[in-house]
Amino acid sequence: MAATPSDAYVGAPMSPTTPSLAGLGFAVPASYVQVEAAEQQADAWNLTEVQRGRWRRIVGSSGIERRHGVADLTTTFQLSTARRMEIFDREAPPLAAQAARDAIAAADVAAHEVTDVVVVTCTGFAAPGIGHALVPLLGLTDRVRHNQIGFMGCFGGVVGLRTACGLACADPSAIVLVVCIELCSLHLRGDTDPQQLVASSLFADGAAAAVVRGDPRGPSLGALSPGRTRLLAHAREAMTWRILDDGFAMTLTRDVPRELEASIAAFVAEDLPHGLAIHPGGAGIIDAIERGLRDLSLDPRSFAASRAVLRGYGNMSSGSVLFVLDEYLRQGGPLPLDVLAFGPGLTVDAVRLRRS
């Protein structure tokens, strides 16, 4: 009998090579206190008392205490998209390099041994881009193979890990560096529509990196399998990310938590793991995921790790789920684990981390 897509996803990958997650690294820019920054933003936006009350309620229910950013939160909303991209081109490479150095060190490899670089970002575009900038910053060779995953939003980190799995399976000697770099603060906008205010309360800046290798020697956090995805096509407009003249505009409708709550149990139960590293899309989204999974036996650290990252960092888009993975492992969460994220589409996506 031919395998269905869900049958094909079970622990072991189809290739005889089993890619290994060898190391993780992280970096964030300067931090700020959520409620203090929110008052500064309200002043800069000249919110009315009614608007200010709505904004405070949104911020108060965000589940975030601190965020990090490279932008001035009180003036960035006035910038053109071109000016925002100039700042991204300047600020993103050093932050990405900092996370990458830590991942390379954790994996116990040398920079010149890295064969492939996968850059994931949805908040900035320039060519030759971050991958090329990382060559001199990290000491990579001029033969390193470059890949860039762009504009996939919050599930881009999962796609980056899956891409690394494919590269390691195709070349078992490969050492793949995945770098997620997002400067969401560059896309703050002065739009006081409630959906835009929700986005303004959530997103933050950060970089996360991972080293994936086909060779099982050296440190390993676990074996990676390519995972699976589910497109909720009927909710296509529930989460969108579009380029405008005054930055990139994220739309998050009230349908997102409801759709995820209704669909997540069937997705996760296809091959039930012990735990999850859940992208911290927002407090309401984490709550919806927990309600949707209440009948499944999942380690409670799945939700605790996601809330801890949201509380301390906010939603850093593609790299956030790697922060959660690290927190889950630090808390002693068991494997197998699904690294789970969701993004525009509405798309639910996961890769599997299991014992080597």
Side-chain angles (χ1 to χ4, degrees):
M1 181 183 295
T4 66
S6 60
D7 292 333
Y9 170 81
V10 223
M14 307 300 276
S15 166
T17 298
T18 302
S20 173
L21 179 60
L24 295 169
F26 306 94
V28 290
S31 71
Y32 55 87
V33 177
Q34 172 85 325
V35 293
E36 294 176 0
E39 290 302 310
Q40 295 171 7
Q41 288 174 275
D43 291 339
W45 292 335
N46 293 317
L47 297 185
T48 66
E49 282 306 310
V50 172
Q51 291 171 327
R52 192 178 289 260
R54 179 188 295 122
W55 172 236
R56 285 171 175 162
R57 288 191 297 273
I58 290 171
V59 169
S61 63
S62 68
I64 299 170
E65 294 178 2
R66 302 191 74 88
R67 287 192 282 170
H68 300 74
V70 302
D72 182 340
L73 302 183
T74 64
T75 60
T76 300
F77 70 95
Q78 300 171 339
L79 300 179
S80 67
T81 300
R83 178 58 183 143
R84 296 171 200 245
M85 293 301 94
E86 291 174 5
I87 299 171
F88 183 91
D89 201 28
R90 182 186 71 233
E91 299 288 344
L95 195 65
Q98 184 180 342
R101 287 190 195 97
D102 287 349
I104 290 170
D108 195 25
V109 299
H112 69 267
E113 296 178 285
V114 172
T115 59
D116 299 82
V117 171
V118 179
V119 173
V120 182
T121 186
C122 67
T123 51
F125 299 97
I130 294 169
H132 285 252
L134 290 177
V135 172
L137 288 173
L138 298 177
L140 307 178
T141 75
D142 59 6
R143 294 176 180 269
V144 70
R145 296 175 293 225
H146 290 271
N147 305 266
Q148 180 153 326
I149 296 168
F151 223 60
M152 297 198 79
C154 295
F155 72 104
V158 171
V159 179
L161 291 178
R162 179 178 297 121
T163 300
C165 282
L167 293 167
C169 287
D171 177 4
S173 67
I175 298 175
V176 186
L177 173 65
V178 180
V179 182
C180 301
I181 170 67
E182 305 289 7
L183 303 184
C184 301
S185 68
L186 293 179
H187 300 290
L188 286 170
R189 304 173 67 244
D191 192 336
T192 56
D193 175 84
Q195 292 180 4
Q196 290 299 315
L197 289 176
V198 169
S200 295
S201 75
L202 287 175
F203 289 98
D205 299 358
V211 173
V212 176
R213 59 188 305 173
D215 188 330
R217 292 175 298 177
S220 176
L221 297 173
L224 279 171
S225 297
R228 62 197 189 280
T229 191
R230 179 69 51 79
L231 179 62
L232 307 180
H234 61 281
R236 186 175 183 273
E237 297 299 315
M239 185 187 300
T240 63
W241 186 226
R242 293 189 168 94
I243 300 175
L244 304 180
D245 292 337
D246 57 347
F248 300 173
M250 166 62 77
T251 298
L252 294 168
T253 74
R254 294 179 179 179
D255 293 336
V256 174
R258 182 172 64 248
E259 293 290 346
L260 290 175
E261 181 177 351
S263 62
I264 195 65
F267 180 82
V268 172
E270 286 180 9
D271 186 19
L272 188 64
H274 291 311
L276 299 169
I278 305 168
H279 169 67
I285 289 178
I286 299 172
D287 290 344
I289 295 293
E290 186 168 21
R291 288 193 301 269
L293 298 175
R294 61 185 176 274
D295 294 331
L296 300 182
S297 299
L298 290 166
D299 191 283
R301 282 167 285 204
S302 303
F303 308 102
S306 185
R307 288 195 174 92
V309 170
L310 182 68
R311 185 167 56 250
Y313 298 92
N315 181 342
M316 298 167 286
S317 192
S318 64
S320 302
V321 76
L322 295 181
F323 280 75
V324 177
L325 172 60
D326 182 64
E327 178 68 21
Y328 176 91
L329 295 175
R330 288 178 183 276
Q331 290 183 16
L335 301 181
L337 163 90
D338 273 0
V339 181
L340 177 71
F342 8 88
L346 185 61
T347 308
V348 183
D349 210 355
V351 293
R352 170 65 55 89
L353 183 68
R354 56 187 176 81
R355 294 193 182 279
S356 301

